[in-house]
Amino acid sequence: MYDVCIIGSGAGGAPIAYELSRAGKKVLVLEKGRYYTEKDFFKDELAVSRRDIYTPPLDEQQHVIETRNNDGEWEAIEGRKSGWNFWNGSMVGGSSNLMSGYFHRMKPNDFQPASVYPKIEGANVVDWMIEYKDLEPYYDKVEKVVGVSGHVVQHPFLEPRSSAEYPFKPTWEHPIAFWFDAACKKLGFYSIPTARAVLPYDALERKGCSYSNFCGSYGCATGAKGNARSALLDKALKTGNCTILSDSFVYKIESDEKKATKIYYYNEDNQSLHVEAKLFVVAAQAVESSRLLLNSKNSYFPNGLLNNYGQVGKNLIFSAGGNGEGRLRFEDLPKEKQDVLLLRGAFVNRSLQDWYEYEQDGQTIKGGTIDFLFEHANPTSRALAEVYDNDSNLIWGEKLQQKIKYAFMRSRKFSFEVFNDWLPTDDCFVTIDEDVKDKWGIPVGKIRLNSHKHDIEVGKVLAGKAVQVLKEMGAVEISTNISSAPPPNLVAGGCRFGYNERNSVLDRNCKAHALDNLYVTDASFMPTGGSVPYTWTIYANSFRVADEILKRFDNKEF
Amino acid sequence: MKRRKFIAYSVVLFSSTVFAKEINSYALHVTILKEPYQTISQVIDDLFTPSVGMPSPHSLNVVGFLKAVMRDKRVTKERKEFILNGVEWLNQTAQNHYIKNYIVLSSDQRQELLKKISQKQWGDNWLWYLMNYTFEAMFSDPVYGANIDKIGWQWLEYKPGLPQPPKVNRYV
């Protein structure tokens, strides 16, 4: 029997495996996806970005997605038919392999949103059960163990830090970062160097960044990116106490009234096997963690495991916001700037958080973060972006070829991404669809999507600020896209932590209220998301939970 | 797809010649075209008549690539059917206007017809998909059998990310 069985190997599961295996516990990690390492990662646009090889084919595994139709009624459609893909990074290390690695901590006020900010009608905002000071030591730990590079500068929303600086200097920065700094200075904005989970040089038994110009969506061929496998699981394996089984899909957790007893999974040969452990950790990403629990019905939990009060799957959240871009043209730039604009490989590494909170109509509004970057290097998507003229007519022939050539060789698009809170509501949740099954015959997750109109209002305010910077930098053809479209790679909620099982699923330490040895440590526990990408917080919280679990082992509670 | 990925992975591990045929068969060079690819090829030529140094769709092996797309399990059946059905709808439109199929129209008539269908929802979508796959052929790594000798990248002085995929690590 294993001491710990972890379902999912990403940012939520890997810190538990790392800490417990180093403490001498026998750990098993089950991962649905394939076991890729650095030698399997290539900058292959067709495979990675056009064919999505790191997510399951939708005719084998899918979700059913519910959205409102034009009459305001909920309408469900299978992902296989719509092409809407809610998978993200199905492989050892999970989606952390594919992240861009923008690492931001949440702010102290993010942990008490219900107390600090005005109530918003229709939003299920609650305070967290922990405060920033509880998580700060673990944010700090992630910087050192996973590897975060950056540079601390003072700004009004800088969160308290126990280490004065990041342990690793920033990655090589593109000269445009300094143009950005100058524009912000003129506008009176605080230009912040963005911390990144990317090692600038060899460290932590990993190779440094190769500056290949392909981070987001791609696996890292050097191991510089702080993904859960290269940063944590590889080291867990070296202890001899950790076993990782890839191509292993967990479909059911068995329990009695007080404890989870075993899990069932399909291996690569579609054989159904089971495993027993003293303790179980679910970290399969928010949608799939809820789905697994809801599919694990038994006589004690007839509506799904931990779901006797109908809380599993509720209050699903994404990151709200959107993006925008502007074009920097050679003809608007002096010769020396033209020469450096096309420089490849370096990072932009700049953010704005001046409006993490802002005043509006006498109230303090929760705002968010804006990250700046170049448009993605993928050439196919860049060429496709040129196929319409200003009147939205499809163009071809010489006109299109001139436009593409200009876009690639005589200009460059500078972009931004807005991250603000996706308010939790009663109409955004996960259930299961008993009528639609995956290739193993297991009911698929059904995702109802709803965003609060406030999310878009905030996103637009932030996008407006980003546009000011782009204009100041001399960009033209500026466009913004703030929408209620949910980004599948920025999903959380579904198993909130809270004070009792009538309104939450997990306790303060992410242990199930209803079972003594079952934890959920991916982003499912988060009642709100803060206005930053989630990965750093998932890592930090998982390290925190690992400490709590170890205390229980020390006290011989398992 | 899982199985095909497993095959590619196994090649790395065992260097088995059993899989060599499998991994050499993405975009083949196409010499004789039958319908509907004859019409598709003509439309792509009409959309991408080379100018400003762009290599021709033939030298990029766009049609060979598109035929591979039709075998690709990662591309949905609906998408494949739409690409092929578009030829039929194009010819219906050509017949309505000129009482001839697209392929036998004059160059000016073909351009006029492309303008007409691009104003319709299906036509806009269909042409967009043809452009999509043309760009994929133009910019994909040469191990897939298009973008021969990297001529698509050279046209725009594009530098691919490293490492590039060796043949044995193609996804299919």
Side-chain angles (χ1 to χ4, degrees):
Chain A
M1 181 188 281
Y2 289 95
D3 289 316
V4 184
C5 172
I6 302 170
I7 301 155
S9 62
I16 309 283
Y18 175 85
E19 292 288 36
L20 272 75
S21 61
R22 284 161 58 91
K25 306 302 172 206
K26 294 296 175 192
V27 176
L28 173 67
V29 180
L30 292 153
E31 165 57 50
K32 186 178 77 168
R34 185 157 285 284
Y35 202 130
Y36 294 112
T37 66
E38 280 74 24
K39 68 181 173 54
D40 300 306
F41 292 131
F42 301 94
K43 309 308 179 187
D44 181 347
E45 184 192 12
L46 192 71
V48 174
S49 300
R50 312 301 303 174
R51 301 291 184 268
D52 299 327
I53 60 160
Y54 299 130
T55 63
L58 293 174
D59 58 355
E60 294 182 1
Q61 300 173 59
Q62 60 177 321
H63 295 102
V64 172
I65 297 138
E66 283 188 299
T67 54
R68 283 191 201 276
N69 64 21
N70 291 338
D71 298 325
E73 295 160 345
W74 291 105
E75 198 167 70
I77 183 160
E78 294 176 26
R80 180 176 62 82
K81 293 176 182 166
S82 67
W84 208 345
N85 187 338
F86 270 84
W87 299 112
N88 188 41
S90 188
M91 65 178 100
V92 173
S95 57
S96 65
N97 283 288
L98 312 180
M99 65 182 178
S100 298
Y102 298 122
F103 265 30
H104 297 280
R105 298 179 179 203
M106 287 171 55
K107 312 289 182 192
N109 281 351
D110 282 323
F111 293 79
Q112 283 90 38
S115 302
V116 172
Y117 301 109
K119 181 173 170 55
I120 298 170
E121 205 59 44
N124 302 330
V125 175
V126 295
D127 289 344
W128 285 39
M129 297 187 80
I130 58 174
E131 296 179 34
Y132 176 80
K133 64 181 171 57
D134 298 315
L135 211 52
E136 198 288 330
Y138 297 100
Y139 279 129
D140 188 68
K141 185 170 194 169
V142 173
E143 288 184 5
K144 291 163 179 155
V145 175
V146 173
V148 181
S149 56
H151 172 50
V152 175
V153 296
Q154 293 300 316
H155 64 91
F157 293 102
L158 176 64
E159 58 282 352
R161 295 176 50 86
S162 53
S163 299
E165 260 300 355
Y166 290 97
F168 302 96
K169 300 278 184 206
T171 50
W172 173 36
E173 288 178 343
H174 194 283
I176 200 169
F178 309 110
W179 309 358
F180 178 86
D181 293 342
C184 287
K185 194 173 179 188
K186 251 185 166 174
L187 292 164
F189 300 164
Y190 290 86
S191 171
I192 305 170
T194 314
R196 294 189 78 124
V198 177
L199 297 175
Y201 43 77
D202 294 3
L204 301 175
E205 302 170 46
R206 289 149 48 199
K207 290 201 177 303
C209 184
S210 64
Y211 299 99
S212 182
N213 204 27
F214 289 82
C215 258
S217 303
Y218 286 83
C220 183
T222 68
K225 195 192 287 188
N227 69 79
R229 181 192 51 76
S230 64
L232 301 172
L233 294 177
D234 283 356
K235 288 168 186 157
L237 286 175
K238 283 182 183 170
T239 66
N241 294 321
C242 180
T243 303
I244 300 172
L245 294 181
S246 61
D247 302 284
S248 299
F249 168 56
V250 177
Y251 65 93
K252 188 178 180 184
I253 303 171
E254 197 169 270
S255 84
D256 58 26
E257 195 175 0
K258 291 183 178 171
K259 286 189 169 182
T261 51
K262 63 177 77 161
I263 59 97
Y264 292 85
Y265 70 98
Y266 286 106
N267 69 6
E268 190 172 16
D269 298 322
N270 287 331
Q271 295 169 313
S272 176
L273 304 170
H274 68 267
V275 169
E276 293 182 29
K278 293 176 186 169
L279 182 150
F280 295 87
V281 176
V282 176
Q285 286 199 341
V287 171
E288 287 300 292
S289 290
S290 285
R291 176 198 177 203
L292 172 61
L293 295 172
L294 292 169
N295 272 330
S296 299
K297 296 171 186 169
N298 61 36
S299 58
Y300 304 105
F301 297 96
N303 301 315
L305 206 62
L306 318 181
N307 196 37
N308 285 352
Y309 292 93
Q311 292 299 306
V312 173
K314 300 294 184 201
N315 294 304
L316 190 72
I317 53 173
F318 297 87
S319 181
N323 51 47
E325 63 185 15
R327 192 188 296 276
L328 295 164
R329 306 185 299 191
F330 269 29
E331 61 261 41
D332 300 330
L333 295 168
K335 181 72 175 70
E336 63 272 19
K337 282 193 167 182
Q338 292 180 20
D339 291 340
V340 297
L341 187 61
L342 296 183
L343 177 69
R344 308 286 165 183
F347 292 84
V348 174
N349 282 355
R350 288 295 185 273
S351 309
L352 294 175
Q353 291 191 321
D354 295 57
W355 312 276
Y356 208 80
E357 290 173 359
Y358 58 89
E359 297 299 313
Q360 186 174 287
D361 302 327
Q363 290 192 314
T364 302
I365 305 292
K366 178 66 194 302
T369 301
I370 315 167
D371 280 331
F372 289 81
L373 64 161
F374 279 118
E375 68 175 330
H376 200 289
N378 278 340
T380 303
S381 55
R382 286 170 64 193
L384 274 172
E386 304 298 328
V387 301
Y388 288 97
D389 66 16
N390 292 338
D391 299 319
S392 302
N393 293 311
L394 206 59
I395 58 169
W396 56 86
E398 184 172 350
K399 193 174 171 187
L400 173 59
Q401 289 163 49
Q402 288 278 19
K403 200 162 173 254
I404 290 171
K405 196 164 182 182
Y406 180 84
F408 276 72
M409 300 174 72
R410 300 289 301 166
S411 67
R412 200 162 179 196
K413 284 182 181 170
F414 196 54
S415 306
F416 64 86
E417 294 178 351
V418 170
F419 300 89
N420 60 283
D421 287 58
W422 177 290
L423 296 173
T425 70
D426 288 342
D427 278 327
C428 195
F429 55 80
V430 179
T431 55
I432 52 172
D433 193 320
E434 298 284 1
D435 298 325
V436 182
K437 310 279 173 64
D438 62 18
K439 68 174 183 176
W440 295 283
I442 307 299
V444 307
K446 187 188 226 179
I447 307 167
R448 176 172 285 196
L449 293 174
N450 178 66
S451 71
H452 199 290
K453 65 177 182 180
H454 180 81
D455 303 347
I456 291 183
E457 290 165 12
V458 174
K460 285 182 175 171
V461 169
L462 293 168
K465 304 297 184 183
V467 166
Q468 278 184 260
V469 180
L470 294 185
K471 282 183 179 167
E472 185 61 39
M473 292 176 73
V476 296
E477 300 174 35
I478 294 171
S479 61
T480 63
N481 178 27
I482 301 299
S483 78
S484 58
N489 59 332
L490 295 163
V491 58
C495 295
R496 275 181 167 189
F497 66 176
Y499 292 95
N500 64 68
E501 61 184 323
R502 291 180 183 277
N503 57 24
S504 62
V505 178
L506 309 172
D507 71 9
R508 185 181 192 277
N509 295 329
C510 295
K511 183 190 80 63
H513 287 302
L515 293 173
D516 195 46
N517 64 340
L518 179 61
Y519 290 74
V520 181
T521 59
D522 55 22
S524 300
F525 81 96
M526 297 170 71
T528 53
S531 299
V532 293
Y534 303 141
T535 312
W536 198 351
T537 298
I538 300 169
Y539 269 136
N541 183 65
S542 189
F543 275 114
R544 180 185 71 90
V545 173
D547 276 357
E548 298 297 332
I549 291 173
L550 280 171
K551 281 182 203 163
R552 292 190 66 191
F553 270 108
D554 289 345
N555 295 335
K556 303 197 185 315
E557 291 182 42
F558 294 115
Chain B
M1 183 55 215
K2 283 267 183 200
R3 180 65 187 155
R4 293 179 75 85
K5 273 166 69 182
F6 175 65
I7 287 169
Y9 196 72
S10 301
V11 172
V12 179
L13 294 178
F14 308 119
S15 299
S16 168
T17 53
V18 174
F19 304 116
K21 190 176 174 188
E22 183 78 31
I23 62 168
N24 277 327
S25 60
Y26 195 78
L28 297 177
H29 192 64
V30 180
T31 50
I32 301 169
L33 288 179
K34 294 180 180 173
E35 289 296 8
Y37 292 100
Q38 206 176 4
T39 297
I40 286 175
S41 177
Q42 184 62 63
V43 174
I44 290 171
D45 280 351
D46 292 339
L47 293 173
F48 289 97
T49 309
S51 68
V52 294
M54 183 189 144
S56 76
H58 296 276
S59 60
L60 289 160
N61 194 21
V62 174
V63 176
F65 182 86
L66 192 62
K67 290 184 92 163
V69 166
M70 294 296 165
R71 300 191 306 270
D72 192 328
K73 290 183 178 176
R74 281 268 163 178
V75 179
T76 65
K77 186 167 158 267
E78 289 79 6
R79 176 82 57 85
K80 293 169 185 167
E81 285 174 356
F82 179 70
I83 296 286
L84 300 180
N85 288 340
V87 175
E88 200 175 314
W89 301 330
L90 175 72
N91 279 327
Q92 282 170 6
T93 312
Q95 286 285 345
N96 290 343
H97 285 85
Y98 301 109
I99 324 176
K100 288 179 184 172
N101 278 354
Y102 183 83
I103 200 91
V104 294
L105 298 179
S106 70
S107 175
D108 287 348
Q109 287 171 328
R110 295 200 304 270
Q111 286 294 330
E112 198 56 39
L113 205 65
L114 292 180
K115 275 185 198 154
K116 281 186 197 304
I117 68 165
S118 73
Q119 298 303 312
K120 297 180 183 298
Q121 183 74 48
W122 76 265
D124 179 278
N125 288 344
W126 187 66
L127 294 173
W128 188 90
Y129 278 121
L130 292 187
M131 290 179 174
N132 176 76
Y133 292 117
T134 301
F135 291 139
E136 284 190 0
M138 183 183 294
F139 297 122
S140 62
D141 194 282
V143 295
Y144 289 97
N147 188 19
I148 295 162
D149 296 331
K150 306 178 183 178
I151 54 175
W153 293 345
Q154 285 164 11
W155 173 44
L156 299 168
E157 297 175 13
Y158 173 77
K159 291 184 178 62
L162 297 173
Q164 293 173 242
K167 239 177 192 175
V168 290
N169 288 99
R170 275 192 345 219
Y171 83 95
V172 64

